[in-house]
Amino acid sequence: VSVRLVETIGELRKLLQEARRRGQSIGLVPTMGALHAGHLKLMEEARKRDDIVVVTIFVNPTQFNQQEDFKNYPRPLSDDLKKCSDAGVDFVFAPSLEEMYPSPPLTMVAVAELTKHLCGPFRPGHFEGVATVVAKLFHIVQADRAYFGQKDAQQFAVIQRMARDLNIPIEIVPVETVREPDGLAFSSRNRRLTLEQRQAATVLFRALRLVEREIQRGVALVEAAKRPAVALIGAEPLARFEYLDVADPETLHPVANVTGPALIAGAIWIGDVRLIDNIRVSA
Ligand code: PAF
């Protein structure tokens, strides 16, 4: 394994300071590990643009709504290191819980408005946890660019706005969602699905495509455009509907009528696994 595993903030800062002094640019790929094709795409994009690629692997407790989900989150570190090595990553920063949070944080970063809709109401505190840990990582790594997947469209918008509002000098690069041949978006949580559940999980992407089809065929009223898709999810016995919305891609506020580019986003539960996905559409 050629990638270097770094476990402390002090050591990482020292290594990156040296790189910066040599005039090398730094690309950051923040992850929670259990790396899949979506993450590999982030690394590939980082590798294209930056001289030094840093992948962080930290299962961040402050963004989980359920202790169980945090405990069950997969942590295959040696597999992950191998993947990073194969992808040409320079440093993997995998700090312990104590290293990242020596004591429970009294400072949290909250991004208003963008977290009001879509996943926000269903995951109270989640985006504060994400914005806080990402702000910490931005300050630790001081990268030139950071790469995030579009599957988490709301997370992307929140992080972009957080960096802007807090004057963190970093370019946030969006990277397209990577899908399985049947449309299911890669997610670390997919590996918790049984074979049967894995089949059922495709219903989310099919539902998003149905909304898109309705919009493209001229159904501007969102309530009507959503109807066949909501029925499709309802007809899948292994899936539980959480939400399906068409939102303004900038504000992430749901729209009642589609008049321009929009984000179709949804979440379902399969057993105790929550899956999200989204696609963009222009009316
Ligand atoms: O998208 C993720 O994996 C996480 O939310 C992130 C950005 C690494 C923060 O913990």
Side-chain angles (χ1 to χ4, degrees):
V1 182
S2 64
V3 68
R4 176 149 174 189
L5 173 64
V6 182
E7 290 171 311
T8 67
I9 296 168
E11 188 191 354
L12 186 68
R13 283 211 164 119
K14 197 161 160 289
L15 289 164
L16 294 177
Q17 210 164 23
E18 287 161 14
R20 236 173 268 119
R21 210 172 287 138
R22 288 193 295 268
Q24 293 178 300
S25 76
I26 298 166
L28 167 65
V29 178
T31 82
M32 299 205 298
L35 303 175
H36 52 65
H39 294 118
L40 296 183
K41 182 89 191 152
L42 300 179
M43 295 176 204
E44 189 188 315
E45 293 302 316
R47 191 67 287 168
K48 273 189 212 158
R49 293 179 180 78
D50 289 303
D51 302 318
I52 299 284
V53 176
V54 181
V55 170
T56 67
I57 298 182
F58 179 65
V59 184
N60 172 40
T62 66
Q63 71 186 76
F64 282 82
N65 294 98
Q66 285 148 351
Q67 189 62 20
E68 271 310 289
D69 192 25
F70 173 66
K71 273 202 297 196
N72 290 335
Y73 204 85
R75 292 167 171 84
L77 185 62
S78 55
D79 265 27
D80 286 349
L81 288 175
K82 166 100 179 43
K83 285 178 184 157
C84 290
S85 179
D86 293 347
V89 169
D90 298 281
F91 303 123
V92 169
F93 177 54
S96 66
L97 201 56
E98 295 70 36
E99 183 71 7
M100 282 300 275
Y101 297 107
S103 47
L106 300 180
T107 308
M108 295 291 285
V109 182
V111 180
E113 284 306 317
L114 295 175
T115 53
K116 250 172 130 169
H117 301 285
L118 307 180
C119 291
F122 297 99
R123 304 199 65 186
H126 166 71
F127 288 112
E128 281 84 345
V130 169
T132 302
V133 81
V134 172
K136 283 162 76 72
L137 292 170
F138 282 1
H139 285 115
I140 292 167
V141 176
Q142 297 178 34
D144 296 275
R145 275 167 284 275
Y147 300 80
F148 294 91
Q150 280 296 354
K151 181 176 75 85
D152 302 289
Q154 192 169 18
Q155 167 172 287
F156 186 90
V158 165
I159 290 168
Q160 197 171 44
R161 185 59 191 243
M162 176 275 287
R164 199 173 107 194
D165 285 351
L166 299 181
N167 301 92
I168 304 180
I170 191 166
E171 182 191 341
I172 317 286
V173 182
V175 178
E176 75 207 45
T177 302
V178 183
R179 301 181 180 283
E180 302 260 20
D182 64 7
L184 180 68
F186 277 96
S187 160
S188 301
R189 290 188 174 88
N190 292 354
R191 60 172 86 191
R192 287 179 41 209
L193 300 171
T194 65
L195 207 61
E196 221 190 349
Q197 290 177 325
R198 164 68 189 77
Q199 297 290 327
T202 62
V203 76
L204 179 55
F205 181 60
R206 286 187 281 123
L208 298 177
R209 294 297 299 269
L210 253 186
V211 180
E212 176 187 48
R213 199 189 68 187
E214 291 302 292
I215 291 171
Q216 282 175 343
R217 126 182 139 78
V219 182
L221 191 66
V222 170
E223 215 38 59
K226 271 167 53 171
R227 212 168 286 135
V230 174
L232 183 77
I233 296 170
E236 171 49 66
L238 296 183
R240 186 160 60 79
F241 178 89
E242 190 177 88
Y243 76 84
L244 192 59
D245 275 322
V246 180
D248 179 297
E250 300 294 320
T251 65
L252 302 187
H253 286 221
V255 295
N257 279 287
V258 188
T259 52
L263 185 76
I264 308 171
I268 60 170
W269 287 83
I270 305 270
D272 64 352
V273 178
R274 182 175 182 274
L275 299 175
I276 59 170
D277 200 356
N278 68 83
I279 56 177
R280 273 162 200 273
V281 65
S282 45

